[in-house]
């Protein structure tokens, strides 16, 4: 008799536990929302969409704003579905995080205004204004021989962050070929000075060892600069010294977006 009572009690506990688990699963499921934004489906939690009171999304979730449904019963919002990922990421992270090279600030600002997210709209517009100011500033990087400044390469670009990026890359390439002789060049804000450039039959070489061992050529550095610029979406505007006959032999490169 006692064994039967224990068995019934155990079965009752298991049923109760299963019931609680089912209720928790149900609560979690109902907290999820699927949005159809311009044909793109996004699944997120209600608390994410209601993070900013009086926003468009908070109004939809809390029934303040009427929103149509698509054929599958999902909220349908007739806006840019691709850009909405940045709206949703902002709601999740609480800050503006955009991929490198993002160029649709004006469109994203319009989307932020539509969704009534003033904090996001202000952040996008601020970023856009800074980029506009930076685009008006032409900056440069000079790679030169400390003994003869006529030997070298100048890189011009209207994006200071790209100049910083390309400078660090050139330093990295040079160090990788110096074989333990980093004192053979110095770096300042806009200038990389190598200790020695010499002329040879094969072109200009950087000779950084007493035995004149080949380390790197200016052509290598030009190639690095051009490849990085193209990968970052820049185009070579012109070779500033066309008298040299080709980009490889030019003294300057000018990149612009």
């Amino acid at each position: 008799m006692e064994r039967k009572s224990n068995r019934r009690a155990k079965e009752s506990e298991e049923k109760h536990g299963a019931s609680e688990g089912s209720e928790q699963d149900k609560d979690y499921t109902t907290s999820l929302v699927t949005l159809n934004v311009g044909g793109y489906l996004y699944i997120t939690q209600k608390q994410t969409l209601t993070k900013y009171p009086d926003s468009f999304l908070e109004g939809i979730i809390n029934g303040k704003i009427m929103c149509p449904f698509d054929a599958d019963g999902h909220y349908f919002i007739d806006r840019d579905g691709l850009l909405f990922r940045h709206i949703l990421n902002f709601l999740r992270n609480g800050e503006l995080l955009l991929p490198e090279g993002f160029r649709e600030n004006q469109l994203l600002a319009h989307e932020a205004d539509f969704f009534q997210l003033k904090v996001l709209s202000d952040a996008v517009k601020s970023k856009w204004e800074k980029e506009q100011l930076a685009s008006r500033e032409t900056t440069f990087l000079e790679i030169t021989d400390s003994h003869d400044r006529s030997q070298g390469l100048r890189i011009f670009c209207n994006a200071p962050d790209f100049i910083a990026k390309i400078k660090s890359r050139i330093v990295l390439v040079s160090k990788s070929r110096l074989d333990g002789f980093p004192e053979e060049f110095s770096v300042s804000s806009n200038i990389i000075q190598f200790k020695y450039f010499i002329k040879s039959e094969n072109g200009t070489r950087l000779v950084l060892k007493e035995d004149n061992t080949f380390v790197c050529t200016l052509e290598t550095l030009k190639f690095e600069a051009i490849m990085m610029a193209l990968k970052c979406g820049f185009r070579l505007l012109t070779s500033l010294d066309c008298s040299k006959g080709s980009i490889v032999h030019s003294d300057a490169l000018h990149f612009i977006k």
Side-chain angles (χ1 to χ4, degrees):
M1 188 74 171
E2 186 176 349
R3 287 181 180 176
K4 287 183 179 180
S5 297
N6 290 339
R7 187 185 302 165
R8 287 174 182 171
K10 187 176 180 181
E11 289 175 353
S12 177
E13 288 177 1
E14 289 176 351
K15 288 181 181 178
H16 183 66
S19 176
E20 284 187 345
S22 177
E23 288 298 321
Q24 289 176 354
D25 291 342
K26 186 177 179 181
D27 290 342
Y28 181 75
T29 302
T30 56
S31 73
L32 297 179
V33 179
T34 301
L35 299 175
N36 180 342
V37 184
Y40 290 81
L41 295 181
Y42 292 90
I43 301 175
T44 187
Q45 298 184 72
K46 286 183 178 179
Q47 64 187 45
T48 301
L49 299 175
T50 58
K51 186 172 184 179
Y52 289 88
D54 299 324
S55 69
F56 181 82
L57 293 169
E58 185 271 338
I60 288 176
I61 297 303
N62 290 328
K64 303 174 187 176
I65 298 175
M66 297 297 293
C67 181
F69 296 91
D70 65 11
D72 296 317
H74 308 313
Y75 290 111
F76 177 76
I77 304 174
D78 191 15
R79 301 300 296 184
D80 192 316
L82 283 174
L83 282 179
F84 186 74
R85 64 181 280 241
H86 304 302
I87 303 287
L88 194 54
N89 280 333
F90 174 78
L91 294 175
R92 289 166 174 161
N93 301 312
E95 59 179 321
L96 178 62
L97 299 171
L98 297 173
E100 185 177 348
F102 183 79
R103 309 298 297 174
E104 297 184 301
N105 293 298
Q106 189 173 7
L107 286 173
L108 184 56
H110 279 299
E111 294 302 298
D113 288 337
F114 173 83
F115 286 103
Q116 299 169 25
L117 294 167
K118 188 177 184 305
V119 179
L120 174 58
S121 179
D122 290 344
V124 175
K125 289 173 183 176
S126 175
K127 176 180 178 295
W128 186 23
E129 288 171 1
K130 288 178 181 177
E131 289 180 355
Q132 292 295 308
L133 287 173
S135 67
R136 299 189 191 106
E137 299 175 4
T138 299
T139 188
F140 72 95
L141 174 64
E142 183 176 351
I143 305 164
T144 186
D145 181 341
S146 58
H147 298 282
D148 181 3
R149 295 196 63 178
S150 66
Q151 297 273 338
L153 170 68
R154 290 170 182 81
I155 300 171
F156 295 84
C157 184
N158 62 346
D161 57 337
F162 175 72
I163 289 293
K165 184 176 181 179
I166 205 167
K167 180 172 73 173
S168 63
R169 174 62 180 160
I170 288 174
V171 169
L172 180 65
V173 169
S174 302
K175 281 186 176 180
S176 70
R177 304 186 182 207
L178 288 178
D179 194 23
F181 291 89
E183 70 278 4
E184 299 293 349
F185 70 93
S186 60
V187 182
S188 63
S189 59
N190 288 93
I191 299 176
I192 302 175
Q193 279 194 340
F194 286 90
K195 193 169 183 179
Y196 297 108
F197 281 130
I198 67 163
K199 287 285 186 180
S200 71
E201 292 181 1
N202 295 325
T204 303
R205 292 181 174 183
L206 306 184
V207 178
L208 304 172
K209 293 184 180 181
E210 292 180 0
D211 61 357
N212 288 345
T213 303
F214 166 77
V215 177
C216 188
T217 66
L218 268 179
E219 285 71 24
T220 302
L221 301 182
K222 291 175 189 177
F223 179 76
E224 289 287 338
I226 292 170
M227 291 304 295
M228 281 187 65
L230 294 178
K231 286 180 180 178
C232 292
F234 290 90
R235 58 190 174 91
L236 183 61
L237 182 63
T238 181
S239 168
L240 296 187
D241 186 358
C242 298
S243 64
K244 296 293 183 180
S246 72
I247 293 174
V248 173
H249 296 100
S250 67
D251 295 332
L253 301 172
H254 192 172
F255 299 110
I256 194 169
K257 275 193 178 177

